[in-house]
Amino acid sequence: MDSSLGALLRRLRHAAHMTIEELSNASGVSVRAIGNLERGESLGPQRATVTALADALRLTGDRRDELLRTARAGRRRSPAPAPGLMAMPRAVPDFTGRGQETRRLASLADGPPDGPTPIVVISGQPGVGKTSLAVYAVTELSHRFPDGHFFVDLRGLEARPLGPGVVLERLIRALAPACNRLPPDLGDRAALYRSVAAERRIAVVLDNAADEAQVRPLLPATGTVLTVITSRRMLTGLEGVVRLPLPPLPDTEARDLLEHLLTGLPGAGSATDPVARLAHSCGNLPLALRIVGNRLASRPDWSPDRLAARLADEERRLDALTAGDLEVAAAFDLSYTQLSGVAQRLFRRLSLMPGPHCGPQLASVLAGLPVAEAEDALDELVELGLVQSGFTARYRLHDLIRLFARRRFEQEEPEDERTAAAARAVDWLLDTAIAAGRRFEPDYAALPGRRDDRVRLDTPEAAQQWLMAEADSWLAALELAAAAGRWRRVVDVAESMHWFSDRWIHWGYWPRVFTLSSNAAAELADHAAVATHLNYLSWAHNNCLGDTAGASDCARRAHAEAVVAGDLRQQAWADSYLAVALLKAGDAHGALPLAARAMRGFHAVDDREGMVNHALSVLGRSLERAGRPDEALRAYQHRLALASDPATAPSPVIAGMTRVSAARHIGLLHMAQGRWREAVETLESAVAWEPASNIPQWQAQMYAALGRARRQLGQIQGALDDMDRAVEIYRQIGDDDAVEAMHALRGSLAPHPGA
């Protein structure tokens, strides 16, 4: 008796008195698929297909087990080899990492037989390992494709890529050798391939695709054909595909790959730090990592330490990343030659980015293009894998690609143009930073002169968005200006950031900004400016670093510089900042006389901002911490009264902020004294005043305090709502520690039985 799967299925169907059509309707498996099984044309159906047929035939016990067992035997048979022209390349034996992508490909290999055929596009920059992943994954999954697995190099980066008609001819003849004459029309030939492939379980790797037009005719429509396309381009025009964009390897996987490649080499066993440095110099790019491993393997007298030291020199790194016919720069060059002239120019000039990434506006400045044209060129660079765009409208170069772009820049553009482009980028960043920073000054007025139409800074929100998005770039430009001795420029930029810094305390780089500016002022021998910026630096040490010793030192130095300059105002600010530092350090008694002296100093020069907004606040907090809450409350109330009276208040914006701050301190003092209802009433008024939005940290703190006070009053839902607002604000300003603390506190506010 014939024991094949087809014969067994036919006997079981006849025993159930069912036609093929009836079995198809009952199981959901197509008539054609059942016919192919019974004729022996399909020997290894998927388990889901066989289970559906067994259920429709109502098989149980031994007969059901026999059908499933016979189907499994068909799936286990050796896969058909590919013909010579399309044989799979040798898989990398030490393939490392890419676990998530490999699992994704494995899950797609189990797709439903009657659904859409799985098509995967693996894209990424040169040298990231696209082909290695495709070959490794399909080789590992070859047992799932009994009718063969095929590899076609589409030669997408060559002057004449392989035509789709040629590829179709090879695939059809491999799958159906009896087809002697193929239709000459590309559409008819593609239809024939789809028909032939639909009846088979195969995997096809289409490597190094040039564009969508090349691969679109090669895509099957139905059946169990896994098609994996690799390309440096993203092939965004293809519809209904699964996309696997490959980034460089994570740090751990890059180190694992190098350690595997270095196994057995002299000195490799204790080379953890050099291996990490080597991986970093390679930017975790698999091609570069393999070159490093091959170089060390071919030079037994070299240690990882020696090569790591050589790669540390950026000028020599690309030349060092060569091993035989493997060369990182050559891989990049293949993509570079595919670019339009405009995109090549922008690519070269992106090597001048002061920071790690940029937006289209800075790109347009570098290339001397309108923003719209720069965006088109950036899209071309992203599409070809030379530029990464990990998030909206931000673009960055891999470290090695940036070195390649810089080399091209130096080779292809005159020195005067390179110098002018670099200066233009730095000046644009600093000009825009000054304009955006000044948007937060209490008495803001637009600067005269021609406005740059690349960036709109019409509102504080727009200015803040630009300052935060381009923070790495304008800070790097500020560093370059300082390195070039442009001292006045550095001071001007930092001065423009004075008011904005209060809105983004958790950025983390204000100490660096104000260190640069105080040093620049010293170079100018401008003692008043030195005092001013040392005071700003004292604020940064206190509020950004929690470094009270550093804050105290800066404030004392600021006071000394202000004395030399005869600047009574900055002397008072130095006293006030020193009082804050002492207060934060727990020395309330030492802070009290300094706060009082600052009050007198501000009064002497009629500096209402310093006296009402700052020194009186410090005085109140010092009294409170010194155990004199009644005097502290009077100081806070006096501050609120001064800020509310036009005759004694500072400028309107500062007065509004001061009223909020004073009410905040009053509310928090009420809470410390257990006066919950008074605390709620005061803090509700404070958060309702619009200027509170100028300092988001205050708003978040007040909502958190309101939540605690309402909890004490039994107002549970109100408390939860307030805590949610606090969490939202802390998340917006990037204070992750506060978000975590607020979540914990909110959990303690959850309603309890009987509340």
Side-chain angles (χ1 to χ4, degrees), residues 426 477-487 490:
V426 169
L478 189 67
E479 297 265 12
L480 290 172
R486 301 172 67 186
W487 311 122
V490 173

Side-chain angles (χ1 to χ4, degrees), residues 64 110 160 374 512 585 676 720 750:
R64 185 183 184 93
D110 290 328
R160 296 183 61 186
R512 183 57 186 155
W676 310 114
L720 293 172

Side-chain angles (χ1 to χ4, degrees), residues 372-394:
E373 291 184 29
E375 288 177 327
D376 291 341
L378 285 166
D379 286 344
E380 185 178 345
L381 293 170
V382 170
E383 181 70 18
L384 206 53
L386 287 172
V387 167
Q388 301 165 321
S389 182
F391 48 102
T392 305
R394 306 301 302 172

Side-chain angles (χ1 to χ4, degrees), residues 16-91:
H17 305 291
M18 298 177 75
T19 65
I20 288 181
E21 289 77 10
E22 289 171 336
L23 180 57
S24 173
N25 291 334
S27 65
V29 180
S30 70
V31 170
R32 183 170 62 180
I34 296 173
N36 289 341
L37 284 169
E38 292 192 357
R39 289 191 298 272
E41 295 179 8
S42 179
L43 302 178
Q46 296 185 21
R47 179 179 178 84
T49 300
V50 183
T51 301
L53 292 171
D55 291 342
L57 293 168
R58 299 182 179 179
L59 299 179
T60 59
D62 293 342
R63 292 205 299 174
R64 185 183 184 93
D65 291 342
E66 182 183 9
L67 180 64
L68 296 175
R69 185 172 58 253
T70 305
R72 281 198 302 272
R75 286 196 293 272
R76 284 197 299 267
R77 71 188 189 284
S78 300
L85 283 177
M86 290 184 293
M88 293 290 292
R90 172 175 171 266

Side-chain angles (χ1 to χ4, degrees), residues 690-713:
E690 179 61 24
S693 64
N694 287 335
I695 308 293
Q697 288 86 356
W698 292 359
Q699 243 184 354
Q701 184 186 39
M702 289 188 291
Y703 277 122
L706 273 169
R708 292 194 296 270
R710 292 192 202 279
R711 174 67 175 86
Q712 294 295 328
L713 294 172

